[in-house]
Amino acid sequence: MSIGLARLREEPDRIRQGAIDKGEDPTIVDQALVLEGKRRTLLGESDRLKAERNAASKKIGEAIRAGAAPNGPEVADLKRASTDAGTQIEKLDADLAATESALEELLLRIPNPADPDVPVGDASANKVVRTWGELLPREATTDGQAWTRRPHWDVAEALHMFDLERGAKITGSGWPVYTGPGSRLQRALIDFMLDVHTEEHGMTEIWPPAVVNSASARGTGQIPDKEDQMYVVPRDDLYLVPTAEVPVTNLHRDEIFEADQLPIRYAAYSPCFRREAGAAGKDTRGILRVHQFDKVEMVFFEKPEASTEALEWLTGRAEVILQRLGLAYRVLLMATGDLGFVQAKKYDLEVWAPGVERWLEVSSCSNFRDYQARRMAIRYRPEAGAKPELVHTLNGSGLALARTVAAILETYQQPDGNLAVPEALQPYMHTARVTP
RNA sequence: GGAGAGGUCGCCUAGUGGCCUAGGGCGCCGCACUGGAAAUGCGGUAUGGGGCAACCCAUCGAGGGUUCAAAUCCCUCCCUCUCCGCCA
């Protein structure tokens, strides 16, 4: 389940409105309420009968210990009472199981309501909350000489940094091979990002499995919601991760934290695999949309009262990376219609790519509030001895590599065709310039 | 992959069909004793669900089965450890 039953009963109106704002069917909320009522009725009746059966069994035990024959007439009535209750319980429980699975089905279709400060509407209601850096034009002038910034695939080809054709030969279209300085750049970016997040931002580094089981895929909602987007290994019931969010969030599935353990903040590198089903023909050139890319992901577990502030901080940590790399970007507050099913609030970071003259999404920072935590039963104890409560989970890219690489190539290309290495990466690249 | 041993409450452990409503120890919390503490004693200490409440139901790795009754017996699966094989 995703929306909590208690919340469903307590504030159905807010949940209904949340569904409307996200363009989902609000009548599911009412259907769920009906089933929830039925569930409680059945459960009460079943529990009552189970108590009866337990009492009868206990009496049989006592009678036998007192000397009655186990198969004698003295216990026959008790056995019959117990068996009769058992028959009814079986029926009730079958009905209950059907009701619960129907209810769960409905709950999975009720979206997480957006935060009150999220603009309502479709993508056109997204708000640019800030822009950083200089937006370089494609048609440039350097030292009085006019020149044209090329798209990243041209820069990469000239400098032998990645090879899309050979990637297509060994795997398929959308599986880039990074070569020479391109490969080095991958390593440099991963190292740089992890260093900043761990050493300066205090996050704990995680190097997770790139493949997860179905329970983990279910935990973060990849199945059933986004099953089409994942590569599957059916023989072993395993899934290639589309983001480190999946393994890292599942680190603490079914766990209960003490209050002083929170917040827990991770930074994790992983390769990311996405089928991009339905995106055929989009962004076919270069590395803007590929089946395998690399990403450093931030995953936070927070106390509920801290999560609103944590999202701002998380987003800021992703911005730090772009600023250090000297890449111009903007921050978008996504409107309800552009939010996913599970996010309460989301900022997208888009980097400016002057060669293709486009904004490229390189990070998506979200607060899930307790929605994901409920699915995974990740809780904490507000104080010693108190009842566990759900934590809030957040995550955001910090950053996705392929598009960041594209922005670097297009931003830092020089009129002579060489590539200047951003200062922050020079210690990792061991050079200030990439030449053919 | 083969053989064996295991999986019980935060941790360790008892438990081989009914006095298990899961016992004991450690740890933790409260109280008593103390000038304060240690030691000691007493009590409490899982999760989910239902009920205004007393309380009830479920859960002993997971799922099924046998039985009036399963931590305990049977079946399937998962995981951990030891040895062997293979291997970066």
Side-chain angles (χ1 to χ4, degrees):
Chain A
M1 30 200 82
S2 300
I3 282 290
L5 289 174
R7 189 169 175 204
L8 179 70
R9 291 197 297 259
E10 280 158 21
E11 42 174 28
D13 293 337
R14 167 122 203 267
I15 295 171
R16 238 187 309 252
Q17 189 57 47
I20 293 167
D21 290 344
K22 283 195 173 181
E24 302 288 337
D25 179 5
T27 64
I28 291 170
V29 175
D30 300 286
Q31 297 171 44
L33 279 167
V34 171
L35 283 184
E36 159 60 2
K38 187 180 177 192
R39 180 189 76 93
R40 279 199 288 170
T41 306
L42 288 170
L43 191 63
E45 186 62 10
S46 173
D47 277 1
R48 191 183 63 73
L49 286 164
K50 280 174 186 166
E52 264 180 32
R53 182 176 62 179
N54 289 346
S57 284
K58 197 175 170 187
K59 278 188 201 153
I60 293 170
E62 283 165 2
I64 291 170
R65 245 176 291 126
N71 291 312
E74 291 160 73
V75 297
D77 281 352
L78 286 167
K79 282 193 184 180
R80 197 172 320 113
S82 178
T83 309
D84 287 352
T87 312
Q88 288 186 67
I89 289 166
E90 215 166 299
K91 280 191 203 130
L92 282 169
D93 279 357
D95 201 357
L96 184 63
T99 304
E100 281 181 337
S101 74
L103 176 59
E104 199 163 319
E105 179 105 352
L106 288 175
L107 290 174
L108 286 172
R109 290 163 57 201
I110 300 173
N112 197 10
D115 282 3
D117 59 339
V118 169
V120 176
D122 61 15
S124 65
N126 293 345
K127 268 185 14 198
V128 177
V129 293
R130 58 187 166 271
T131 302
W132 185 95
E134 185 193 353
L135 269 55
L136 297 175
R138 173 150 61 186
E139 302 305 333
T141 308
T142 303
D143 300 331
Q145 285 284 328
W147 62 291
T148 302
R149 289 199 167 81
R150 292 172 296 162
H152 62 277
W153 53 85
D154 282 349
V155 178
E157 189 178 2
L159 299 174
H160 311 293
M161 293 180 74
F162 56 75
D163 189 331
L164 298 174
E165 283 180 21
R166 291 200 174 91
K169 176 170 71 180
I170 59 180
T171 306
S173 169
W175 298 82
V177 180
Y178 295 92
T179 57
S183 174
R184 181 88 197 204
L185 180 57
Q186 293 288 115
R187 241 172 355 113
L189 281 166
I190 293 163
D191 245 17
F192 163 66
M193 290 177 190
L194 285 174
D195 282 354
V196 172
H197 291 317
T198 56
E199 290 165 16
E200 298 179 36
H201 300 156
M203 300 177 200
T204 302
E205 184 172 340
I206 301 287
W207 196 285
V211 178
V212 296
N213 59 29
S214 56
S216 296
R218 200 173 301 281
T220 39
Q222 256 63 37
I223 48 177
D225 310 4
K226 302 176 191 159
E227 206 162 354
D228 289 353
Q229 293 303 327
M230 277 195 300
Y231 288 99
V232 185
V233 186
R235 178 186 286 197
D236 300 302
D237 191 27
L238 296 172
Y239 300 78
L240 275 62
V241 300
T243 160
E245 167 197 349
V246 179
V248 176
T249 310
N250 275 284
L251 268 179
H252 297 300
R253 175 151 47 91
D254 296 316
E255 291 184 17
I256 300 173
F257 298 114
E258 295 305 324
D260 61 10
Q261 292 177 272
L262 298 177
I264 292 173
R265 292 168 174 169
Y266 292 128
Y269 160 74
S270 87
C272 304
F273 303 93
R274 299 189 182 178
R275 293 185 63 235
E276 297 295 345
K282 265 174 109 178
D283 303 319
T284 48
R285 300 213 64 181
I287 52 172
L288 300 186
R289 188 177 296 274
V290 287
H291 292 302
Q292 179 183 342
F293 61 95
D294 301 272
K295 180 159 61 65
V296 171
E297 182 78 4
M298 301 175 280
V299 178
F300 292 5
F301 301 82
E302 301 277 340
K303 291 182 192 173
E305 64 270 22
S307 76
T308 299
E309 191 49 43
L311 177 63
E312 303 303 317
W313 190 75
L314 169 74
T315 307
R317 294 326 92 190
E319 289 177 65
V320 164
I321 300 295
L322 287 165
Q323 291 171 8
R324 295 281 179 84
L325 292 174
L327 298 173
Y329 68 91
R330 63 180 185 179
V331 180
L332 267 61
L333 171 60
M334 308 306 279
T336 51
D338 232 8
L339 277 183
F341 205 73
V342 298
Q343 291 105 359
K345 186 174 179 182
K346 176 167 88 164
Y347 290 111
D348 272 7
L349 267 53
E350 297 185 335
V351 70
W352 178 248
V356 292
E357 290 192 298
R358 278 179 54 187
W359 293 102
L360 307 178
E361 183 187 331
V362 286
S363 179
S364 187
C365 302
S366 308
N367 185 356
F368 302 94
R369 304 232 167 246
D370 65 8
Y371 199 85
Q372 253 187 352
R374 182 172 294 104
R375 253 194 220 198
M376 285 188 272
I378 306 174
R379 293 154 292 171
Y380 82 108
R381 234 178 275 284
E383 40 200 289
K387 275 242 164 224
E389 284 178 24
L390 294 166
V391 303
H392 281 194
T393 60
L394 302 91
N395 65 51
S397 344
L399 308 160
L401 257 67
R403 291 175 185 168
T404 301
V405 166
I408 289 172
L409 295 181
E410 297 187 7
T411 301
Y412 283 90
Q413 61 181 300
Q414 303 297 306
D416 63 8
N418 294 337
L419 182 76
V421 174
E423 210 178 311
L425 293 180
Q426 289 175 10
Y428 299 94
M429 289 291 286
H430 300 322
T431 179
R433 214 165 179 83
V434 176
T435 56

